[in-house]
Amino acid sequence: MEPGSGPMVVGVKRKHPGDHGDPEEVEAGKESQEQAPFSQSNLCQTLLQLSMDKFQLGPPSLLRQVLITNTLNHLREKMSLEGSPAPCQGPGLEMLFPLTAQSANALLRELEELLGLRATQDCCEAPDGTRASTSADGLLGDGQQIPSPLGALTSPPVRAEEPLRGSFEIMSHLGDLVPEDFFTDMDTSDVEREPWPSASFASSSAAVCFPGQSAAEWDWTELDQILEIIKGS
Amino acid sequence: MAGAGGGGGLGGGPAAMGGSDLQWCFSQVKGAIDEDVAEADIISTVEFNYSGDLLATGDKGGRVVIFQKEQEMVSPLRVAVSSARHSCGARGRHSPYVAMSRLSNKSRLHSRGEYNVYSTFQSHEPEFDYLKSLEIEEKINKIRWLPQQNAAHFLLSTNDKTIKLWKISERDKRAEGYNLKDEDGRLRDPFRITALRVPILKPMDLMVEASPRRIFANAHTYHINSISVNSDHETYLSADDLRINLWHLEITDRSFNIVDIKPVNMEELTEVITAAEFHPHQCNVFVYSSSKGTIRLCDMRSSALCDRHSKFFEEPEDPSSRSFFSEIISSISDVKFSHSGRYMMTRDYLSVKVWDLNMETRPVETYQVHEYLRSKLCSLYENDCIFDKFECCWSGSDSALMTGSYNNFFRMFDRSMRRDVTLEASRESSKPRAILKPRKVCTGGKRKKDEISVDSLDFNKKILHTAWHPLDNVIAVAATNNLYIFQDKAN
């Protein structure tokens, strides 16, 4: 088929690199190529937002959350392969784009931190790592202690020493709480006296709005004193 | 195999000669007819016992109802009167430890093969873990019968956290003439006892007692999805999302962890355990399936900790059908060994696959359950139906398979005849001995008279739990809060 004759087609005819052929055909091809990635990107964004909502609002099922997270990872990879992300569709998605380089798990971890949900260790493992479980000890922690986030205010940040457990611990975080973990789920971003070590945390904390909360509503003085005492002891 | 409805019947039942067609007839339906279904009444598991004479159901309210198959001539003392399934959805409350179903003196003739209520009891209660601030649902996830070794029957029932061993026994005699108690049960004054007598046993109306004999608790951090009794009749396994534990039926305070896929860093978690089962004959072999569509066969003789599999079953993905939801629909929701032990069957979202244990590279048979849903995956993801966990089951002779679908449809596949059929569990076709008419889903083009379009399917009516009688062509299908029992015409 010669250029300029017959119906317009896209990507079928081989052309000389210097020969752009029928301008109309080229424009139609360019337009459809622009539309296809745009639609795909649109779908990715929609699925991304849907998956995020499902992850945070769905029933407590580890299977479900793993499947959604893997889907999120797949979406992220797809969007990365397609090049730069599509124009932002809304304020919610705008937050996600700077973080596309991170794993979905890290993204969700940071969201969980901001929301005041912290993961804890598993409670059924014996301190010595043995696998035989006993009913009597089933509900107690394994001795690992997650330092209070307030402990990072006056000392060099120790949170980096304890690996953040990730979003899947959320599924059992309440099941794994031990008395030492009662203070770990407090969001102290409003009363921080030292910068956090993670830059991404700082950047994302600025982007995430915590509706219904303000520093004026929190009176940390007394609690801070109590935690200082505990930390000191 | 075609995804839409197919021919008129199945062959290959144990009583049928090879090649003859089998027609399914409605037999019974249990449960309330109310439009508003109470959440607690939704059936969550169905299981025949080894002989097929007993059929157990568990529901979201933590109750277990056991039906017994009646013989042609019935003893006047063995007629059930009370039934939680016959009530209008009320949550019948019984003693948490012993429940008795009093039987009347009425004599009735039952048609052969009819299942009637044998026992009802509250297996699990809702709990609240105050330390973890978590509510533990009472929903019965699985019921597994133990092989009968004496007059009593034993079964295991489990919710998300706790497994219980129940003993169901009959009592038809009552001791009278106690020395220390009056006939009404009050204690007698010892000083007034001047003579001793030997208590005598007198017949009474038959009573069925259900009592918890063992409670296996506090061994699972995550939600239990499977229990499986070993062929040694002494041990069983329980599986949650990340671990599998081995128990001895006599020991409740200790279990052995045999599989643990929990990563050190939970951020690296990408796969969970979805189902597990012991081999029907080899007490050292079990399999577990994963959310990534893989099955691992483990041999407990090779290692005490079976983190390393002996065999790994996975079908290569078809690149042409890859989509955003490929991983979700490949997640295996159920795995079942064949009765022979040579094959196993897996159920993922769209298909049923039969695997030869000697071939790990691909399944030997694949049956499409509802392929017409592949183009609707986005919608099904949005309404969460894509996360539904369908079960599957073998016929007694391993010649046929059965699994559920939406719109109260269930699918049956004849392996020998290579035919499939779609049937419906509905009240409209619930006339005694009415032959079930095959249903068809219209996948495109002009819809025929008896066909139903994909867009008209009711995704709230899903059949997740089915069971096939181990010896006869009798099937039990759970449709929300109703239990349908179908039999082949010859039966």
Side-chain angles (χ1 to χ4, degrees):
Chain A
M1 185 184 294
E2 293 183 1
S5 65
M8 285 183 263
V9 293
V10 177
V12 172
K13 186 176 179 182
R14 293 176 59 193
K15 296 184 191 300
H16 190 274
D19 180 13
H20 297 289
D22 186 354
E24 287 183 1
E25 184 179 319
V26 171
E27 272 187 21
K30 207 190 264 185
E31 183 180 342
S32 58
Q33 284 175 9
E34 286 172 354
Q35 281 178 353
F38 180 76
S39 299
Q40 190 76 354
S41 177
N42 214 9
L43 176 63
C44 286
Q45 291 177 27
T46 305
L47 286 176
L48 193 66
Q49 185 61 45
L50 179 62
S51 300
M52 291 291 294
D53 292 340
K54 283 188 177 300
F55 189 93
Q56 295 185 354
L57 302 175
S61 166
L62 189 58
L63 167 65
R64 173 193 165 93
Q65 305 294 34
V66 165
L67 292 174
I68 293 172
T69 301
N70 291 346
T71 303
L72 281 169
N73 283 332
H74 181 64
L75 285 166
R76 180 187 61 81
E77 288 169 8
K78 181 80 175 176
M79 293 169 76
S80 300
L81 285 174
E82 288 174 354
S84 57
C88 300
Q89 298 298 310
L93 291 173
E94 189 172 3
M95 174 195 76
L96 297 175
F97 287 110
L99 302 175
T100 51
Q102 300 182 26
S103 68
N105 289 341
L107 162 68
L108 293 166
R109 183 185 69 237
E110 289 164 4
L111 286 175
E112 301 295 351
E113 290 171 5
L114 294 170
L115 292 171
L117 299 174
R118 283 290 309 279
T120 61
Q121 67 275 18
D122 185 84
C123 70
C124 276
E125 294 176 358
D128 59 355
T130 56
R131 304 273 289 265
S133 57
T134 60
S135 299
D137 299 332
L139 298 179
L140 299 179
D142 62 1
Q144 277 190 331
Q145 302 221 358
I146 296 180
S148 162
L150 290 180
L153 295 177
T154 55
S155 61
V158 295
R159 289 178 65 216
E161 294 177 8
E162 282 289 337
L164 293 173
R165 296 293 172 166
S167 40
F168 294 120
E169 283 290 355
I170 303 303
M171 302 315 305
S172 61
H173 78 284
L174 292 176
D176 299 327
L177 275 177
V178 293
E180 294 81 0
D181 302 335
F182 287 160
F183 301 113
T184 61
D185 58 350
M186 290 183 177
D187 183 356
T188 59
S189 56
D190 280 4
V191 296
E192 295 168 19
R193 292 201 287 263
E194 290 183 4
W196 291 105
S198 169
S200 62
F201 182 85
S203 63
S204 58
S205 65
V208 173
C209 176
F210 221 93
Q213 288 186 342
S214 63
E217 296 176 5
W218 296 346
D219 183 9
W220 290 102
T221 307
E222 188 176 347
L223 189 59
D224 202 5
Q225 291 174 354
I226 295 171
L227 288 170
E228 286 291 335
I229 295 170
I230 294 173
K231 191 168 62 70
S233 63
Chain B
M1 299 286 288
L10 288 175
M17 301 299 291
S20 64
D21 286 348
L22 201 64
Q23 288 184 310
W24 292 96
C25 303
F26 169 80
S27 176
Q28 294 172 278
V29 59
K30 308 288 188 183
I33 314 175
D34 295 342
E35 288 295 326
D36 295 329
V37 177
E39 182 83 7
D41 292 336
I42 296 175
I43 298 172
S44 53
T45 184
V46 183
E47 186 79 2
F48 279 102
N49 72 336
Y50 281 77
S51 64
D53 290 338
L54 296 177
L55 175 62
T57 63
D59 62 22
K60 287 192 173 184
R63 291 165 298 184
V64 172
V65 180
I66 300 175
F67 302 90
Q68 185 184 45
K69 187 175 182 180
E70 299 292 346
Q71 300 304 314
E72 189 169 352
M73 293 298 297
V74 181
S75 163
L77 293 179
R78 297 185 62 196
V79 176
V81 171
S82 64
S83 164
R85 288 269 166 243
H86 291 168
S87 65
C88 295
R91 289 188 65 171
R93 288 285 176 180
H94 301 268
S95 164
Y97 296 103
V98 176
M100 300 184 185
S101 298
R102 183 172 291 277
L103 306 178
S104 76
N105 271 325
K106 291 182 182 178
S107 62
R108 284 175 60 186
L109 280 179
H110 294 275
S111 60
R112 186 180 178 186
E114 192 170 290
Y115 284 83
N116 294 303
V117 175
Y118 180 65
S119 177
T120 304
F121 56 93
Q122 188 73 29
S123 173
H124 289 72
E125 296 276 2
E127 297 174 45
F128 190 81
D129 191 325
Y130 294 97
L131 186 62
K132 304 173 185 178
S133 297
L134 272 181
E135 185 172 339
I136 302 172
E137 289 184 356
E138 67 275 31
K139 180 178 76 112
I140 307 298
N141 292 337
K142 283 288 187 293
I143 289 175
R144 289 290 181 264
W145 289 92
L146 270 62
Q148 189 176 9
Q149 295 177 334
N150 51 38
H153 299 276
F154 290 86
L155 61 82
L156 290 168
S157 65
T158 183
N159 66 350
D160 287 339
K161 296 289 185 181
T162 304
I163 307 147
K164 295 185 181 181
L165 175 66
W166 289 87
K167 176 183 177 182
I168 298 98
S169 55
E170 296 180 358
R171 183 190 295 184
D172 60 356
K173 293 183 179 57
R174 180 178 63 242
E176 290 181 359
Y178 285 102
N179 290 288
L180 298 178
K181 285 192 299 186
D182 289 335
E183 296 306 322
D184 54 4
R186 287 184 299 180
L187 291 175
R188 295 173 65 189
D189 188 355
F191 296 103
R192 295 187 179 180
I193 299 173
T194 57
L196 290 177
R197 56 185 176 176
V198 178
I200 56 175
L201 295 175
K202 290 187 176 178
M204 58 177 274
D205 291 344
L206 185 64
M207 277 189 165
V208 180
E209 297 178 343
S211 57
R213 307 299 293 180
R214 303 279 188 276
I215 296 177
F216 307 90
N218 300 325
H220 284 280
T221 305
Y222 304 96
H223 290 181
I224 297 173
N225 53 54
S226 306
I227 50 174
S228 178
V229 181
N230 204 347
S231 55
D232 61 8
H233 303 167
E234 292 183 354
T235 58
Y236 74 95
L237 64 80
S238 59
D240 64 26
D241 295 319
L242 297 180
R243 297 190 176 100
I244 300 178
N245 293 335
L246 180 68
W247 300 84
H248 192 282
L249 286 167
E250 298 292 333
I251 301 171
T252 60
D253 63 350
R254 186 178 296 271
S255 69
F256 290 95
N257 178 246
I258 53 177
V259 172
D260 188 346
I261 65 170
K262 180 176 182 291
V264 174
N265 186 359
M266 283 292 280
E267 285 186 23
E268 298 169 358
L269 179 67
T270 58
E271 189 175 12
V272 299
I273 297 170
T274 54
E277 190 176 57
F278 266 121
H279 191 277
H281 307 304
Q282 300 174 27
C283 58
N284 52 291
V285 172
F286 67 94
V287 293
Y288 67 94
S289 59
S290 79
S291 57
K292 288 202 167 182
T294 63
I295 309 102
R296 291 170 173 83
L297 184 143
C298 301
D299 189 335
M300 293 193 291
R301 296 173 302 183
S302 60
S303 171
L305 304 175
C306 299
D307 287 352
R308 282 190 176 183
H309 51 265
S310 299
K311 294 189 179 182
F312 182 75
F313 300 84
E314 184 179 29
E315 183 177 23
E317 186 185 7
D318 180 10
S320 63
S321 62
R322 175 92 185 147
S323 73
F324 291 122
F325 311 106
S326 293
E327 181 167 332
I328 298 179
I329 64 173
S330 70
S331 173
I332 293 174
S333 55
D334 194 17
V335 61
K336 291 274 175 51
F337 277 104
S338 64
H339 293 90
S340 65
R342 180 181 171 184
Y343 300 98
M344 64 178 176
M345 166 170 54
T346 58
R347 175 69 156 98
D348 52 59
Y349 189 65
L350 295 180
S351 66
V352 168
K353 297 177 182 177
V354 176
W355 302 78
D356 188 324
L357 295 189
N358 298 315
M359 188 168 77
E360 303 167 48
T361 53
R362 60 178 175 82
V364 292
E365 300 162 23
T366 300
Y367 303 92
Q368 302 301 329
V369 180
H370 35 220
E371 183 66 16
Y372 47 79
L373 294 183
R374 190 178 289 275
S375 59
K376 308 287 183 186
L377 291 179
C378 199
S379 302
L380 295 167
Y381 181 65
E382 196 173 357
N383 62 18
D384 279 353
C385 283
I386 204 172
F387 299 107
D388 287 335
K389 291 188 282 186
F390 292 93
E391 294 178 2
C392 54
C393 59
W394 295 85
S395 67
S397 62
D398 295 339
S399 62
L401 316 170
M402 177 169 61
T403 188
S405 181
Y406 294 104
N407 208 69
N408 275 355
F409 288 170
F410 58 99
R411 300 267 287 144
M412 305 178 84
F413 306 95
D414 186 335
R415 298 176 63 210
S416 55
M417 302 295 289
R418 284 288 175 172
R419 289 195 294 191
D420 61 275
V421 66
T422 302
L423 301 173
E424 183 181 3
S426 70
R427 291 273 180 177
E428 285 72 27
S429 58
S430 300
K431 295 181 179 55
R433 291 180 293 280
I435 295 176
L436 292 183
K437 191 177 177 183
R439 300 304 306 266
K440 263 197 168 185
V441 177
C442 174
T443 55
K446 198 173 180 181
R447 185 176 65 88
K448 293 180 182 176
K449 183 185 174 184
D450 293 332
E451 292 183 353
I452 182 171
S453 67
V454 180
D455 296 326
S456 301
L457 294 174
D458 187 346
F459 290 95
N460 292 319
K461 294 182 181 178
K462 55 192 81 174
I463 291 180
L464 305 175
H465 313 287
T466 58
W468 201 310
H469 192 287
L471 303 173
D472 294 334
N473 284 327
V474 178
I475 57 175
V477 175
T480 316
N481 65 322
N482 293 144
L483 181 71
Y484 289 83
I485 299 174
F486 303 102
Q487 297 179 345
D488 68 325
K489 193 177 178 185
N491 233 358

